[in-house]
Structure formats: structure tokens, C-alpha cells
Amino acid sequence: MNRPIFFLIFCMLPFKLLAQQLFIPNGKITFEKKVNMARTLANLGISEEVKGTMAKYKTSNWDLCFDRTRSIYKAQKRDDTDDDLMYFISPGESTNELYADYANKNRVLKKSIMGEDYLLKDSIPNVDWKIMHEVRTISGYECRKAIGRINDTVYVIAFYTDEILLRGGPEGFSGLPGMILGLAIPRLNTTWFATKIEAFTNFNNEIQPPTKGKKAETDKELKKLMELFTRYTGSKDQKPEEIRKKIYGFTL
């Protein structure tokens, strides 16, 4: 081989290896989930006295462990001394988990319903995204804005980075050209933003589908769960598909 050409290729190798390392194949992302309780409770008939004892925002931290094709998303353990009123109103959220297998386009959702943990298998839902020009930096990563729509009328605002290879995100949102590090659903008065990213870290032992909980895989099991759910929520007049969306949902 011609020596100048060989020397040029040799010099370019480190840059090529560096470029490959810039894209993150695995790691863990910590998200802060924040719910604006003042807006959420505005129409629930809760007295002003009770509202006055509560914080304006309810916050919780969630971990998303991921590799090139899979992820597991679950809440961090809470302090047993936590006296947050909303924790006692909805304690089941802290046991919820979402495992997603993007290669096979399916997921396993562990969700607390009426005090019982259920294992729900489903395909990964699609979101209609429109990528915008706006960018912002989240946890040190440049992210591009996208606007999506779920359940026909609910709008979602997301910020994703293409530096992380997995096309996933918090709460199982996916379908953008990279990892979602920021998410907002105005109708739910809720935001999710990455506060810490542990890049190039192996969490393979943790990226496993949840196994503890009642299964609702057959039509009979799912029908029974839907009947219990409608009795509990008083939504008997809704169509089965609408009830199913509420059980599975886009958010935990």
C-alpha cells in the first residue's frame, strides 16, 4: 500500500473510533416526573383548606435502564417517612414498571389496579410525531423538539437526542430518531425531564420483564379485569376499547 495513503488511514482511525463512541448504546437515565397539583385538583372539588396543605407540585424520580433494543422503566424507591398526601391517594404508582422490547415491538406493563399488581402484555403503541426546528439542552445533550398526538386528541411535547441510539423514552413513549429526554403532556399537567444520564453503563441484569403480578393475557382474563376496572371507576357506559386504553394507557 502506498505509504502516504496508509499514514492517512492510520491517522483517521482514532477519529472514526471517537465518532462511534459518541453514540450511546446503553446506560441509565433518571427522570424527574412533575405533576402540577394546583391545576390537577382545580376541578376535583377538593377544599381550599386541603389544597393549602399540599405542595404545588408532586415530584417523583424514575429510572430508565436501556441497551440497544430494550428498556425497563420504574420508579425509584420512596422514603417510608414521606408524608406527601398524593402518595397515599395513589400509592400504587410506585410499584408500576414498563419493560419494552423494541426489536420485537412488544412490551410488558406491571400496573397496580385496585391494590393488585397486574402483568399486561401489549404491542408498543404508535405516536404520530411531527419534528420541529426548536432545540434545547437537557442534561448536557442537545435535543430537538417534536409534537405528537395520542388517543386522537391528546397532544404531547417531546425533546429527543440522537446521541443515544435507542429510540425510546419515559413512560414508554418512542418513535423518534433517538432517546426522549424531555416530555410534557399539558392535558395531564405533567412533565418528565432527564436529570442524570449514566452513559455506557451495562444494566443488562435489570433490563428484564416484570414477573410478579396477576396475568391478564387471555380474552377471559382481560374481560374480567375490565369488568373490575369499570366497577371501580364507574365507567360502565364507556366502550370496551376506551376502557382498555385507560388500563394500558400511555402513562403509568
Side-chain angles (χ1 to χ4, degrees):
M1 181 181 291
N2 187 288
R3 285 188 177 182
I5 296 176
F6 176 80
F7 179 75
L8 181 62
I9 293 174
F10 179 79
C11 291
M12 290 177 62
L13 280 175
F15 294 100
K16 182 178 180 181
L17 293 174
L18 178 61
Q20 290 175 343
Q21 289 298 312
L22 290 176
F23 296 97
I24 300 169
N26 55 358
K28 180 169 76 172
I29 305 170
T30 298
F31 287 91
E32 181 187 64
K33 177 181 178 180
K34 183 180 286 189
V35 183
N36 188 323
M37 297 310 303
R39 293 180 180 175
T40 301
L41 299 176
N43 300 318
L44 295 183
I46 295 178
S47 69
E48 293 299 324
E49 182 179 356
V50 173
K51 290 180 184 178
T53 64
M54 301 174 61
K56 182 178 179 181
Y57 294 97
K58 175 194 174 187
T59 60
S60 57
N61 293 309
W62 295 70
D63 289 332
L64 176 69
C65 298
F66 65 94
D67 59 21
R68 289 177 179 269
T69 61
R70 305 171 303 148
S71 67
I72 183 76
Y73 178 75
K74 55 186 175 182
Q76 293 183 356
K77 291 184 178 179
R78 296 178 63 98
D79 186 346
D80 291 338
T81 62
D82 195 327
D83 58 358
D84 183 356
L85 176 60
M86 286 310 298
Y87 172 70
F88 295 103
I89 292 175
S90 57
E93 181 185 84
S94 62
T95 67
N96 293 345
E97 298 180 18
L98 178 59
Y99 168 84
D101 180 347
Y102 293 97
N104 295 303
K105 299 182 179 180
N106 57 48
R107 62 180 186 165
V108 179
L109 172 64
K110 177 186 174 186
K111 191 166 187 177
S112 178
I113 301 173
M114 297 163 287
E116 296 280 357
D117 287 337
Y118 285 86
L119 298 177
L120 310 172
K121 291 186 177 182
D122 192 17
S123 58
I124 293 176
N126 292 320
V127 181
D128 295 324
W129 294 109
K130 181 179 180 181
I131 297 176
M132 315 300 286
H133 294 294
E134 182 182 340
V135 296
R136 66 181 292 182
T137 300
I138 301 175
S139 289
Y141 292 82
E142 185 178 278
C143 299
R144 184 174 292 277
K145 181 179 179 179
I147 297 177
R149 190 172 61 181
I150 60 174
N151 299 336
D152 298 326
T153 59
V154 179
Y155 283 90
V156 180
I157 301 168
F159 290 88
Y160 71 92
T161 175
D162 58 8
E163 294 182 50
I164 299 178
L165 293 176
L166 185 68
R167 299 183 174 189
E171 304 286 335
F173 279 87
S174 63
L176 287 167
M179 178 66 74
I180 297 171
L181 298 183
L183 187 73
I185 305 181
R187 185 177 294 188
L188 300 182
N189 306 306
T190 306
T191 61
W192 297 258
F193 280 94
T195 58
K196 181 181 179 182
I197 299 175
E198 300 174 47
F200 304 105
T201 309
N202 191 329
F203 289 93
N204 284 343
N205 291 336
E206 296 186 35
I207 308 176
Q208 303 295 334
T211 57
K212 295 181 180 180
K214 293 184 177 180
K215 293 182 179 181
E217 298 177 351
T218 66
D219 290 341
K220 184 178 180 180
E221 290 169 338
L222 181 57
K223 184 178 180 181
K224 183 178 179 180
L225 174 59
M226 291 174 67
E227 288 174 352
L228 290 171
F229 185 80
T230 53
R231 241 182 290 156
Y232 179 75
T233 58
S235 53
K236 294 181 180 180
D237 295 333
Q238 292 188 339
K239 296 179 180 179
E241 185 56 31
E242 293 300 318
I243 296 170
R244 190 180 186 282
K245 284 182 181 179
K246 285 189 174 183
I247 293 175
Y248 284 78
F250 271 90
T251 60
L252 298 178

